[in-house]
Amino acid sequence: MKKLLRYLKNYLKETIIGPFFKLLEASFELIIPLVVAQIIDIGIKDGDIGYIATRALIMIGLGLVGLASSLTAQYFAAKAATGFATELRHSLFEHIQTLSFSEIDEIGTARLINRMTSDVNAVQSCVNMVIRLFLRSPFIVFGAMIMAFTIDVKAAMIFVVAIILLSIVVFGVMFITKPLYKKVQSQLDRVLGITRENLTGVRVIRAFNKEEEEISHFKAENEQFTRLQTFVGKISALMNPLTFVIVNSAILVLVWTGAWRVEGGILTQGAVVALVNYMSQILVELIKLADLIINITKAVACGNRIQKVLEVEPSMENGSKECVEEKNTQENAVDFNHVSLTYAGAGAPSLTDIDLHVKTGQTIGIIGGTGSGKTSVVNLIPRFYDATQGNVLVFGKPVKEQDMESLRSQIAIVPQKAVLFAGTIRENMKWGKEDATDEEIMEALTIAQAAEVVQKKEGGLDAFVEQGGKNLSGGQRQRLTIARALVRKPRILILDDS
């Protein structure tokens, strides 16, 4: 979690100004009980309406200045927290893009989505609250205790005992709940994973009449998540009633002690009211501090999970930036020299001793049953995975020695599952070539037998495609993905089961 704080370096000004104005607000709050004491001991005692009005105006002034300070602090805290989360998300997303398919397969899509959304949100909320309350709440607690000592030492000892007991409760709950929140977040990953799987495969589930089984599976995992969340929530919920009991007991003792000391002429009535106000301030701030600590506990668990993703090192190193120029047409475009591939965690290799040589301009068809490794073979060409044995060469140079961007810019792939993105048909076609003209796009659509599909759509190339191409049939999606690949006019075209 500490390593994530580097994303706050561009917001140092905000992280300093925010707490400063919060401390300014807290200072004004600590003065108010003294003003109330003066109103009681002087204004009310002597019946001086003018004095009461003057002190009331001072209180209003302190309140307005405190409000302005609070709003200023909130602005800078929100700015720092939002900026921190933005930079963290950008960095996390950029890092995920550097990971190979092996690392993404190992971590899991559901977990990565959870890290990018709920985990980052939890850390952002924590940063906001820390900037606003981390210094303010302890400042009020200890400031109120010090102010109590300036009024009466014996009465102030009640504050010392109360603060010690409250610290035991707050930090005890924090110590117990910290590991439990990690379990809660892990279970949330499982629930999100099942949800994503069911939504993605809803057609398969219905085709096999597995709705009831999947509902039962989801219900079991969700109930487990509920039990964990409820258990840790019960422990966290103990904090507020325990702090209320301690603080209210302290107030009772304070009033009882203060009454005897007023009777003895040691304290004034206004001083007792000021002491009670300070104890009430401590109560409010400790409730805020308790909520802050719960949020910090959650955020630390979420931050550690984000950090683990950021610490995953890509298993593939980028090669030379030099692009392989096209030489003669007789040179082999793709060479597999005794290649084997074993996926991470697999018990046996998926490919064994593949020796294949494809010449420039040659068309090769790989035929085999489902699961025979056809996709595994073609995934090695753009280097989605690295061969565990042997070498894969593209235009005479090993793919491991080539720059991934320049390597993949020469290759176009039509994957097994036709994937389109939300946007217009034109925008989807330009994934293959950003500066493609409408003529080039229509040429590719015609070759892919998708021109008729586009012409029948209202708006033509400007027709909107929903996320995943949900407003198109399976065949239409596949034709458009073939056209997208053809727009690039690649040196190597891979059609995976299309």
Side-chain angles (χ1 to χ4, degrees):
M1 176 66 184
K2 291 179 182 177
K3 294 180 181 178
L4 299 183
L5 296 179
R6 68 180 183 271
Y7 297 104
L8 269 175
K9 65 181 181 182
N10 293 328
Y11 301 93
L12 288 177
K13 180 183 72 175
E14 286 80 4
T15 54
I16 294 170
I17 294 176
F20 171 77
F21 275 96
K22 270 295 175 182
L23 293 180
L24 195 63
E25 177 202 2
S27 300
F28 295 132
E29 282 191 26
L30 290 173
I31 296 172
I32 287 176
L34 298 180
V35 179
V36 173
Q38 290 176 344
I39 291 174
I40 294 169
D41 291 339
I42 299 173
I44 295 176
K45 182 180 177 182
D46 298 339
D48 190 341
I49 301 300
Y51 186 88
I52 294 172
T54 304
R55 288 297 178 270
L57 289 174
I58 292 173
M59 286 178 62
I60 293 171
L62 289 171
L64 291 174
V65 175
L67 175 63
S69 300
S70 178
L71 293 174
T72 305
Q74 178 61 62
Y75 168 77
F76 284 107
K79 186 177 179 181
T82 305
F84 163 83
T86 301
E87 292 200 9
L88 177 57
R89 277 199 185 93
H90 284 166
S91 179
L92 184 58
F93 188 79
E94 186 179 346
H95 179 72
I96 290 170
Q97 295 305 312
T98 66
L99 300 178
S100 70
F101 283 16
S102 298
E103 285 90 44
I104 292 174
D105 292 343
E106 187 176 350
I107 298 170
T109 308
R111 288 184 180 180
L112 291 175
I113 292 172
N114 201 15
R115 302 296 176 272
M116 289 282 296
T117 53
S118 64
D119 285 352
V120 173
N121 286 340
V123 177
Q124 176 184 345
S125 176
C126 177
V127 169
N128 193 329
M129 290 187 71
V130 166
I131 291 174
R132 291 187 294 113
L133 300 176
F134 192 69
L135 290 179
R136 174 199 154 86
S137 292
F139 181 81
I140 288 280
V141 170
F142 290 105
M145 185 178 70
I146 292 167
M147 296 299 284
F149 270 102
T150 62
I151 296 172
D152 184 67
V153 174
K154 185 175 179 180
M157 293 307 296
I158 300 169
F159 282 73
V160 175
V161 174
I163 289 171
I164 291 171
L165 292 174
L166 289 166
S167 299
I168 292 170
V169 170
V170 169
F171 289 102
V173 170
M174 177 181 171
F175 180 78
I176 294 168
T177 55
K178 185 177 178 180
L180 293 174
Y181 276 118
K182 290 182 181 178
K183 291 183 180 180
V184 169
Q185 290 300 117
S186 297
Q187 185 62 26
L188 177 61
D189 281 347
R190 291 178 60 83
V191 173
L192 288 175
I194 293 168
T195 305
R196 183 178 180 276
E197 191 176 53
N198 283 326
L199 292 175
T200 305
V202 64
R203 296 183 182 183
V204 178
I205 293 169
R206 290 180 180 176
F208 286 89
N209 288 322
K210 292 290 183 180
E211 292 96 334
E212 292 302 322
E213 288 88 339
E214 289 303 317
I215 289 170
S216 298
H217 184 204
F218 177 81
K219 190 176 180 181
E221 293 293 342
N222 201 37
E223 283 177 353
Q224 175 66 12
F225 174 67
T226 304
R227 283 194 295 271
L228 281 171
Q229 185 76 59
T230 304
F231 179 67
V232 71
K234 285 178 180 177
I235 296 174
S236 298
L238 287 173
M239 194 176 295
N240 280 358
L242 287 175
T243 51
F244 268 106
V245 168
I246 293 170
V247 171
N248 283 295
S249 298
I251 289 174
L252 287 173
V253 175
L254 187 62
V255 171
W256 181 77
T257 304
W260 283 106
R261 295 179 76 75
V262 169
E263 184 72 19
I266 301 169
L267 284 177
T268 63
Q269 293 172 333
V272 174
V273 172
L275 289 170
V276 171
N277 279 339
Y278 283 130
M279 187 60 78
S280 299
Q281 284 185 355
I282 289 175
L283 172 62
V284 172
E285 292 306 319
L286 280 169
I287 291 171
K288 291 180 184 177
L289 189 61
D291 290 336
L292 173 62
I293 288 172
I294 291 170
N295 273 277
I296 289 174
T297 305
K298 289 181 182 177
V300 167
C302 294
N304 289 338
R305 285 143 48 90
I306 294 169
Q307 185 59 37
K308 282 182 181 179
V309 175
L310 291 171
E311 288 174 354
V312 174
E313 292 293 335
S315 58
M316 295 181 182
E317 291 184 5
N318 205 5
S320 170
K321 291 286 184 182
E322 296 177 6
C323 183
V324 179
E325 297 295 333
E326 187 172 2
K327 296 180 182 176
N328 58 70
T329 56
Q330 298 303 312
E331 185 181 5
N332 288 345
V334 177
D335 291 286
F336 283 75
N337 295 330
H338 303 286
V339 170
S340 297
L341 171 66
T342 304
Y343 289 107
S350 298
L351 300 175
T352 307
D353 197 29
I354 302 294
D355 200 67
L356 174 67
H357 306 279
V358 184
K359 293 181 180 179
T360 302
Q362 189 175 11
T363 300
I364 294 290
I366 302 175
I367 300 172
T370 302
S372 60
K374 302 185 297 296
T375 300
S376 297
V377 170
V378 297
N379 279 342
L380 294 173
I381 300 171
R383 206 185 170 198
F384 292 153
Y385 295 92
D386 270 340
T388 46
Q389 289 181 14
N391 283 314
V392 179
L393 288 78
V394 171
F395 296 110
K397 187 175 181 181
V399 292
K400 292 182 181 179
E401 297 177 11
Q402 296 191 42
D403 175 57
M404 290 186 194
E405 187 175 346
S406 62
L407 169 66
R408 291 169 184 170
S409 67
Q410 304 173 80
I411 302 169
I413 300 176
V414 181
Q416 279 182 323
K417 183 180 179 181
V419 177
L420 295 171
F421 297 89
T424 63
I425 293 175
R426 180 184 285 105
E427 289 169 348
N428 272 277
M429 293 301 103
K430 286 190 174 184
W431 274 69
K433 185 182 177 185
E434 288 184 5
D435 58 350
T437 63
D438 285 359
E439 290 74 19
E440 289 175 313
I441 293 172
M442 289 307 300
E443 181 187 357
L445 288 167
T446 303
I447 296 170
Q449 299 181 15
E452 187 180 353
V453 175
V454 176
Q455 289 164 359
K456 287 182 178 179
K457 290 283 182 183
E458 185 179 346
L461 290 175
D462 291 318
F464 188 77
V465 178
E466 292 184 8
Q467 183 181 4
K470 299 298 183 185
N471 57 337
L472 299 168
S473 70
Q476 290 173 336
R477 288 199 297 270
Q478 194 169 70
R479 291 182 193 185
L480 289 176
T481 54
I482 292 171
R484 181 177 60 193
L486 294 173
V487 166
R488 174 173 276 185
K489 296 181 179 177
R491 297 175 69 185
I492 298 173
L493 175 64
I494 299 172
L495 304 173
D496 188 0
D497 252 6
S498 56

